[in-house]
Amino acid sequence: YTKTEIDRKIDGIEVGGRNLYQNSKGPFTLEPKNTGQAEDNYNLYRFYCEMELNETYTISADIEITHGDFDQVSVYPYPGGSSRAVPIPSNGRIKHTFVKTSETTNSVLIYAGLMGSTRGQGIIIRNVKIEKGNKATDWTPAPEDVDAAINTVKTDVATLTTNYDSITAR
């Protein structure tokens, strides 16, 4: 690579970091379907997320195969996007970058294998992260999830304090 090519690659990296998908830890389980119906071949999980038109996003997730023999999943910004086959690397963490090109796109689908051929295949999806930009960063919860956890702890502490005061008074 020349210095100019390297500079161009570095300049092209956009890092978001903030997880836009709430309650993202999972597990999100796709049990294998084999009922004889056509929809058995479209076994998917839908992750809803607010995204801006013409912006670049990256979804990453840990994929554990529970049933079947496959090494790719289809990832589909939906509706209005286009489906892509994404390889499952040895560490299980898939990554896919896309641009929201349709006003109607409000979610990302992950299939238990390739769209149209998921019959009898199952996966568990964990640590989903949808972030702005073209660089996948390590999983972190959405800020709203952290706030909710803090509020739960505050409520628990307030309850414990009330109970302690009540017991002490007795």
Side-chain angles (χ1 to χ4, degrees):
Y1 292 115
T2 68
K3 181 177 180 343
T4 308
E5 289 172 322
I6 292 169
D7 287 345
R8 197 174 310 118
K9 284 186 185 292
I10 291 170
D11 290 344
I13 295 173
E14 302 171 35
V15 179
R18 180 198 197 286
N19 195 347
L20 301 172
Y21 183 69
Q22 295 181 31
N23 301 311
S24 60
K25 191 152 189 61
F28 307 98
T29 303
L30 286 172
E31 294 292 344
K33 292 182 181 174
N34 198 2
T35 65
Q37 302 299 311
E39 65 256 19
D40 293 350
N41 284 311
Y42 298 89
N43 193 5
L44 63 93
Y45 203 95
R46 187 171 184 179
F47 299 95
Y48 288 91
C49 179
E50 287 287 324
M51 296 174 279
E52 298 170 47
L53 190 61
N54 298 319
E55 289 291 338
T56 301
Y57 294 90
T58 298
I59 183 170
S60 54
D62 294 325
I63 305 293
E64 177 188 339
I65 298 169
T66 58
H67 299 83
D69 182 21
F70 55 98
D71 60 4
Q72 296 179 79
V73 293
S74 289
V75 178
Y76 190 178
Y78 185 84
S82 56
S83 170
R84 292 283 184 266
V86 176
I88 304 169
S90 57
N91 69 1
R93 185 123 187 113
I94 62 157
K95 297 172 182 159
H96 176 63
T97 299
F98 62 94
V99 175
K100 177 180 172 172
T101 55
S102 171
E103 192 63 59
T104 60
T105 303
N106 64 1
S107 59
V108 181
L109 312 180
I110 297 179
Y111 288 79
L114 294 178
M115 180 173 70
S117 60
T118 63
R119 183 181 308 277
Q121 297 179 172
I123 61 173
I124 298 172
I125 306 166
R126 292 183 180 88
N127 302 324
V128 176
K129 188 168 190 177
I130 301 174
E131 58 193 308
K132 214 170 192 180
N134 60 11
K135 176 91 174 89
T137 60
D138 289 348
W139 179 82
T140 50
E144 296 84 351
D145 295 336
V146 175
D147 292 345
I150 290 169
N151 289 335
T152 299
V153 169
K154 284 181 182 174
T155 302
D156 291 350
V157 168
T159 303
L160 287 171
T161 303
T162 303
N163 290 345
Y164 176 79
D165 290 347
S166 167
I167 291 166
T168 308
R170 286 186 208 147

